[in-house]
Amino acid sequence: MNTHDRTLIAYLAEHPAASVDALTAQLGVRERTLFSYIKHANGELGPAAQIVYERDGESGAGYYLVVEDEQTYRNLLLAGEVEGAVPQTRDERVSYLINDLLSRSGYITLDELSGMLYVSRTTLSADMRLVEQALDRFGLTLEKRPHYGMRVTGPEMARRLCLADVAIGGAGRRRSPEARGALQTIGLGESGEDRRLLDVVSGCVDEALEAESFHINSLLYRNLLVHVCIAVMRIRAGHYVPLGGIDDKGLRASSAWPVAHRIARLIERDVPCELPESEVAYITMHLAGKRVLNGGTDDGGEGLVIPDEVWNVVGEMVERIRSDFLFDFSSDLELRMNLARHIVPLATRLRHHLSMNNPILADIKARYPLAFAMASDVSYILADTFGSMPSEDEVGYIALAFALAVERQKTGLARKSIVIVCASGQGSARLLAYRYREEFGSYLDRIVTCDVSEVDALDLTGIDYVFTTVPLHRQLSVPVREVGLFLDEGDIARVREVFRGVGEDQGERPLLLTHFDPSLFFVHLKMTSKEEVLDLLCGEAAQRHALDARFRELVARREELAPTAFGNLVALPHPITPASDDTFFGVALLDQPITWDGRDVQAVFLLSIARTDHEGLDRFFDQLSDVLMDPKAIAHLVSDQRLETLVEICRAIPSKKGDQL
């Protein structure tokens, strides 16, 4: 089956009742040639399927693809191809196209790409819009020239970063759990030569990290391998990062420079390619951006010195949270240290326009909307200082630090000592530790957190249990339980069984009902934009509460700073600074979701925090977060838009006390 057959069949599979004019335009041939194509395709399809002309078809008169034997038909389409080699979904096609275009120096036409992927021009044109959006994020351009086709233009470093982003898994794409799977996403790592290269690069990186006592966690190690492998593949194809292509100011003085230099020399030893100093700077950039600083010291054994610039940025962030959210973390040294230790490598990533993928971003946004709002609120401080705005993935990691700070307020008494093991690093493990203190405080004494790569070195003396979010594949001297990264009801029940503690949470009157204004409850709205909803809520609130005259403007300024739509069909707009005499919230429910900064929103909670009198505000935010992140509760509310429904949901919120099981 040739390219013409596949293109014709693919078009008819998507466009039943296609006319002769449509088919000739799609294939770029005359009518007589079209009929010869149809005849040839039918010969290839045999009894499995046929292209026929029907006057009274379901979609009207025109040509149809009639499949008689689905399995044989699919086998024919796959004949001669390696299974899975031809992208089948839109995400797979977009990844394939980005990789193909970035690997070319010359032009290629849309028709040629359509034939390679066996899809119609219409489908491919839609895919190309997504390709252009992905390229644009890295400053790359899809140059189009009549009669020649298209090609990507832009610097080599941007090409590599774009390839790595596709491989590791950007927003909306499946993230591979290991380096080989990530490289296969962009068509690399599949051949025997590619597999050998990955093994060689992995060995070189391992040897260098061990020799230099330089530690990165398992997730970041996978990402580093992908970046280095892509760099080696590009170098072997003759594409180098030019001298001056990276601003190496500060990189040469970094503790990551000798590690990168050793990696480069080891690769030159084992792979036939040369890595000049510009490539050493490229590897250093990734190492410095992926460094993990544990326990207040770097992995080289020297005392961690936090630069004044970073410490000042942390101070600004804490002050902004105090003014915007009325959470005073000024005396929380652990929060300051957590933020500072994260911002040291983050600063490198922002200065070089890198981004670290966050595999638990969706869970963070759903489980900790308040913390994510805080992190979004302070992200502009990082942008002003380090030159680029953090991605949502990066904001998610910052949110973990704020979630830890909020959770610390709820810790209680303790009894047992446990270990928490996570695959994605210390931040998520420590957050889970505070969740355990929240749910099982009276049964816990000491909590040790670690990355999965550190389990073998653990001293389990005095430890009662190990809770892990990933299989450990080893025997330990204490009981081990596998749990989810975020505690759900099932996890809580299983952990309670382990602790042999059966107790019921005590209920209390939810603060949500204390601060909810029933006169600001609007249902079955037909509005189509967030501006309409905000105008309604802010206008009605101004008639019922003592507000700052600029209340609507302050809400708009907060929206400009960072989105307040956190998923789960919910948005939580609020003024950028406290602007009312009392704390209250109102709710607007729509019949159909509207687009709110790229997200679907159907339930809008307008929140205003009082300028003074903040007693119980932490518990109020905790209860509000429970409602916003509960998919069943929000689904119930938007389907049954009654005041009684909201009250029922608020009353159903359990009390969360750190000293009770």
Side-chain angles (χ1 to χ4, degrees):
M1 190 175 294
N2 60 34
T3 300
H4 298 309
D5 295 335
R6 293 180 179 274
T7 303
L8 174 61
I9 292 168
Y11 184 80
L12 287 172
E14 296 182 11
H15 302 84
S19 66
V20 171
D21 290 341
L23 290 171
T24 53
Q26 174 65 27
L27 296 170
V29 298
R30 297 178 182 274
E31 187 174 312
R32 183 174 179 178
T33 304
L34 170 65
F35 294 144
S36 68
Y37 282 3
I38 293 174
K39 181 179 180 180
H40 186 272
N42 280 336
E44 292 292 317
L45 290 168
Q50 286 288 289
I51 299 171
V52 299
Y53 184 84
E54 295 184 2
R55 296 184 181 277
D56 301 315
E58 291 184 3
S59 301
Y63 282 91
Y64 288 80
L65 175 66
V66 180
V67 178
E68 300 292 347
D69 185 336
E70 181 69 31
Q71 187 58 52
T72 304
Y73 165 71
R74 294 182 66 83
N75 290 341
L76 284 170
L77 293 183
L78 292 173
E81 300 289 344
V82 177
E83 185 176 0
V86 179
Q88 299 297 311
T89 68
R90 166 161 291 185
D91 285 346
E92 290 174 352
R93 290 195 301 272
V94 169
S95 296
Y96 178 95
L97 288 165
I98 291 173
N99 177 59
D100 182 273
L101 291 166
L102 288 174
S103 301
R104 295 178 183 274
S105 56
Y107 292 91
I108 186 170
T109 67
L110 200 63
D111 285 334
E112 289 170 327
L113 289 172
S114 176
M116 289 163 53
L117 293 173
Y118 310 123
V119 296
S120 67
R121 283 177 59 95
T122 302
T123 298
L124 187 61
S125 295
D127 294 341
M128 290 305 300
R129 286 193 289 272
L130 298 178
V131 170
E132 290 189 76
Q133 291 174 11
L135 294 173
D136 183 65
R137 290 195 296 112
F138 294 89
L140 299 168
T141 303
L142 191 62
E143 178 187 336
K144 300 173 184 176
R145 187 176 176 187
H147 309 300
Y148 283 83
M150 65 190 85
R151 67 176 181 180
V152 174
T153 59
E156 172 63 20
M157 192 172 81
R159 290 172 179 262
R160 294 186 189 181
L161 296 178
C162 186
L163 279 170
D165 181 70
V166 173
I168 294 169
R173 292 192 299 275
R174 179 180 179 273
R175 303 173 193 272
S176 174
E178 41 87 25
R180 178 163 286 119
L183 291 169
Q184 287 175 345
T185 303
I186 56 173
L188 302 174
E190 295 175 336
S191 69
E193 183 179 358
D194 286 348
R195 287 193 293 272
R196 192 187 76 82
L197 176 62
L198 177 58
D199 292 337
V200 170
V201 169
S202 175
C204 293
V205 171
D206 289 345
E207 184 177 340
L209 293 177
E210 182 176 358
E212 300 290 340
S213 299
F214 196 96
H215 175 72
I216 56 178
N217 74 33
S218 53
L219 177 66
L220 301 183
Y221 172 81
R222 182 278 311 259
N223 292 359
L224 176 65
L225 282 187
V226 171
H227 280 287
V228 175
C229 281
I230 288 174
V232 173
M233 290 171 176
R234 295 290 293 171
I235 290 168
R236 294 175 72 183
H239 303 293
Y240 290 83
V241 171
L243 290 173
I246 297 177
D247 180 9
D248 62 359
K249 182 180 179 181
L251 290 179
R252 292 177 181 271
S254 166
S255 60
W257 179 269
V259 186
H261 193 273
R262 186 182 291 267
I263 290 174
R265 300 293 82 84
L266 291 173
I267 289 175
E268 287 180 336
R269 180 195 69 187
D270 296 338
V271 180
C273 70
E274 181 181 355
L275 281 74
E277 287 216 335
S278 61
E279 296 293 347
V280 175
Y282 180 80
I283 298 173
T284 303
M285 180 182 71
H286 288 290
L287 280 169
K290 290 173 170 56
R291 191 67 188 271
V292 176
L293 301 169
N294 291 318
T297 62
D298 72 10
D299 296 280
E302 303 172 355
L304 169 63
V305 178
I306 298 174
D308 289 343
E309 180 183 40
V310 170
W311 198 251
N312 292 337
V313 165
V314 169
E316 288 185 55
M317 295 167 72
V318 171
E319 176 58 26
R320 174 57 63 184
I321 295 303
R322 187 196 65 78
S323 63
D324 287 3
F325 292 87
L326 304 180
F327 273 79
D328 189 356
F329 296 131
S330 57
S331 61
D332 190 336
L333 180 60
E334 185 169 352
L335 171 64
R336 289 178 181 265
M337 289 300 299
N338 286 342
L339 288 173
R341 290 161 58 190
H342 181 74
I343 290 173
V344 170
L346 173 60
T348 298
R349 294 195 294 273
L350 293 178
R351 285 187 171 120
H352 295 284
H353 305 282
L354 305 176
S355 181
M356 186 167 68
N357 293 98
N358 190 336
I360 57 173
L361 176 62
D363 287 318
I364 292 171
K365 294 172 74 173
R367 297 278 183 172
Y368 303 102
L370 172 61
F372 191 82
M374 290 177 175
S376 299
D377 200 48
V378 300
S379 60
Y380 80 97
I381 297 175
L382 297 169
D384 289 344
T385 306
F386 303 116
S388 64
M389 182 67 74
S391 66
E392 273 203 334
D393 293 74
E394 298 283 14
V395 172
Y397 282 116
I398 297 168
L400 287 177
F402 287 117
L404 283 166
V406 173
E407 296 293 332
R408 261 191 300 278
Q409 300 177 2
K410 307 168 189 173
T411 55
L413 301 176
R415 291 181 184 175
K416 295 183 182 295
S417 295
I418 65 173
V419 172
I420 305 288
V421 182
C422 281
S424 53
Q426 283 277 355
S428 54
R430 293 173 67 194
L431 178 59
L432 189 57
Y434 279 100
R435 290 285 292 149
Y436 272 65
R437 283 212 182 277
E438 177 186 52
E439 296 292 345
F440 315 110
S442 63
Y443 283 79
L444 295 179
D445 179 12
R446 186 163 56 102
I447 300 180
V448 178
T449 62
C450 72
D451 179 74
V452 67
S453 64
E454 301 166 332
V455 171
D456 290 334
L458 275 179
D459 180 2
L460 295 177
T461 303
I463 297 297
D464 296 290
Y465 306 109
V466 171
F467 295 92
T468 176
T469 64
V470 290
L472 297 182
H473 301 301
R474 69 201 77 184
Q475 288 189 345
L476 300 180
S477 59
V478 298
V480 177
R481 292 287 297 191
E482 291 186 17
V483 295
L485 183 57
F486 293 96
L487 283 174
D488 56 24
E489 293 181 1
D491 287 328
I492 292 171
R494 286 189 291 272
V495 174
R496 281 178 178 158
E497 291 176 3
V498 172
F499 289 152
R500 300 181 184 275
V502 181
E504 297 299 327
D505 294 324
Q506 303 297 315
E508 65 178 13
R509 183 171 181 264
L511 286 176
L512 284 185
L513 295 181
T514 301
H515 294 296
F516 171 58
D517 183 351
S519 67
L520 294 178
F521 185 69
F522 304 97
V523 299
H524 297 296
L525 300 179
K526 309 294 184 183
M527 297 173 175
T528 58
S529 70
K530 76 172 185 178
E531 286 75 19
E532 289 182 90
V533 179
L534 291 177
D535 286 344
L536 170 68
L537 285 172
C538 293
E540 294 293 333
Q543 297 181 31
R544 295 167 172 79
H545 296 267
L547 306 180
D548 190 302
R550 300 175 300 124
F551 186 83
R552 176 66 176 87
E553 177 187 343
L554 295 174
V555 171
R557 286 177 58 190
R558 177 62 184 82
E559 290 293 319
E560 292 172 1
L561 184 63
T564 58
F566 305 120
N568 198 30
L569 295 177
V570 169
L572 182 65
H574 53 277
I576 194 170
T577 57
S580 60
D581 289 348
D582 62 327
T583 296
F584 69 89
F585 75 94
V587 180
L589 303 175
L590 297 101
D591 278 342
Q592 296 296 328
I594 61 174
T595 300
W596 192 296
D597 295 323
R599 294 186 177 276
D600 286 342
V601 167
Q602 198 170 354
V604 181
F605 289 68
L606 175 69
L607 173 64
S608 182
I609 301 300
R611 302 182 187 91
T612 58
D613 187 17
H614 304 146
E615 183 179 356
L617 199 58
D618 56 342
R619 288 188 295 124
F620 165 74
F621 272 117
D622 185 47
Q623 293 175 0
L624 181 60
S625 297
D626 282 347
V627 171
L628 300 185
M629 72 184 188
D630 188 336
K632 291 183 179 179
I634 296 301
H636 182 32
L637 183 60
V638 298
S639 64
D640 186 8
Q641 299 185 12
R642 295 180 300 120
L643 183 61
E644 293 79 6
T645 305
L646 179 62
V647 172
E648 172 190 333
I649 290 171
C650 291
R651 290 191 180 279
I653 300 171
S655 172
K656 293 187 177 180
K657 297 182 179 180
D659 60 350
Q660 295 193 21
L661 262 178

